[in-house]
Amino acid sequence: EDQVTQSPEALRLQEGESSSLNCSYTVSGLRGLFWYRQDPGKGPEFLFTLYSAGEEKEKERLKATLTKKESFLHITAPKPEDSATYLCAVQASRAGNTPLVFGKGTRLSVIA
Amino acid sequence: DADVTQTPRNRITKTGKRIMLECSQTKGHDRMYWYRQDPGLGLRLIYYSFDVKDINKGEISDGYSVSRQAQAKFSLSLESAIPNQTALYFCATSEDTYNEQFFGPGTRLTVL
């Protein structure tokens, strides 16, 4: 069974205090790993897709990295507007339909 | 205008009532999905459709049904609502099975 575990559940940072969010996964062959941002009361917003170990992608203060067992979302010098829940999801490369499996998310609060 | 819209945005109903949630998209995607989100449980897939003639059950389809009226429209029905179906419901679309998904703004459903 495909599984995704995100840690920590919640993270509180001071503005400018860099940190990382973790996404550990178990899947029988990874087709892709997705990161989303979700603001309260809104739908998830796509951030990144990673396909193979060693791959990295960046967007503003965010950088996502991938190994064979986990992904990290690094947040450099965060600002209050980075406060949100960050979701990780995996998709297996098995034959047939393989929907996304989501983790429970990390709720990030950045304090000014 | 938003690419993925959901109606209604909020709904309060009573146990036993039939409820329909609607999703429309202007992205031209073939793939459409329905998820529910509960605190502490993350996003879980209810049903998905790869085209108008293809409907598939997700992880938690019991108590729900769907209709794909056109490429752009995908409806979720609760035939006889029960209180544990109280949740946030999201519709999503994707260009292909292996591409990122784009989410609607969500419907907050409360079953009393």
Side-chain angles (χ1 to χ4, degrees):
Chain A
E1 182 183 346
D2 303 332
Q3 290 190 331
V4 177
T5 303
Q6 292 188 246
S7 61
E9 290 185 12
L11 181 62
R12 185 181 173 98
L13 299 174
Q14 294 292 320
E15 184 173 4
E17 179 186 3
S18 301
S19 188
S20 297
L21 313 182
N22 178 262
C23 171
S24 297
Y25 64 90
T26 304
V27 64
S28 56
L30 180 70
R31 174 65 179 82
L33 185 142
F34 301 81
W35 281 99
Y36 288 84
R37 169 192 170 127
Q38 186 176 21
D39 293 301
K42 296 189 176 181
E45 176 187 348
F46 170 73
L47 292 173
F48 306 109
T49 308
L50 301 168
Y51 295 104
S52 58
E55 188 175 3
E56 299 183 352
K57 288 192 176 174
E58 290 188 61
K59 179 180 180 180
E60 297 181 354
R61 294 176 293 282
L62 301 177
K63 182 170 80 172
T65 62
L66 181 65
T67 72
K68 289 186 177 181
K69 292 187 180 296
E70 58 191 350
S71 176
F72 292 94
L73 185 65
H74 306 279
I75 302 176
T76 302
K79 298 182 178 182
E81 54 261 43
D82 294 321
S83 297
T85 296
Y86 291 85
L87 303 174
C88 172
V90 297
Q91 187 170 40
S93 59
R94 292 186 297 274
N97 301 329
T98 54
L100 294 183
V101 175
F102 281 85
K104 296 178 181 179
T106 293
R107 189 172 63 256
L108 175 66
S109 300
V110 182
I111 310 304
Chain B
D1 288 340
D3 295 320
V4 183
T5 57
Q6 294 183 233
T7 56
R9 295 295 314 280
N10 290 282
R11 182 72 184 268
I12 299 173
T13 191
K14 295 182 178 180
T15 297
K17 294 291 187 180
R18 184 177 188 275
I19 296 296
M20 178 179 285
L21 309 183
E22 299 186 340
C23 176
S24 294
Q25 53 113 346
T26 58
K27 299 186 76 68
H29 290 168
D30 286 329
R31 274 67 170 165
M32 297 188 74
Y33 311 81
W34 275 106
Y35 292 89
R36 69 176 276 177
Q37 188 175 42
D38 300 271
L41 292 179
L43 278 163
R44 292 181 292 167
L45 184 64
I46 305 172
Y47 269 97
Y48 57 105
S49 169
F50 286 169
D51 62 42
V52 175
K53 298 181 180 180
D54 181 63
I55 304 288
N56 303 278
K57 292 183 177 181
E59 178 188 355
I60 53 165
S61 59
D62 287 348
Y64 302 94
S65 63
V66 291
S67 172
R68 184 81 184 266
Q69 301 94 323
Q71 185 203 38
K73 297 184 181 297
F74 192 34
S75 299
L76 175 73
S77 294
L78 287 67
E79 297 300 326
S80 179
I82 57 177
N84 76 359
Q85 291 177 315
T86 293
L88 262 175
Y89 289 85
F90 290 102
C91 174
T93 74
S94 66
E95 182 175 1
D96 198 289
T97 308
Y98 299 120
N99 291 100
E100 64 271 21
Q101 295 181 12
F102 297 88
F103 286 79
T107 294
R108 184 174 296 278
L109 177 66
T110 303
V111 184
L112 301 176

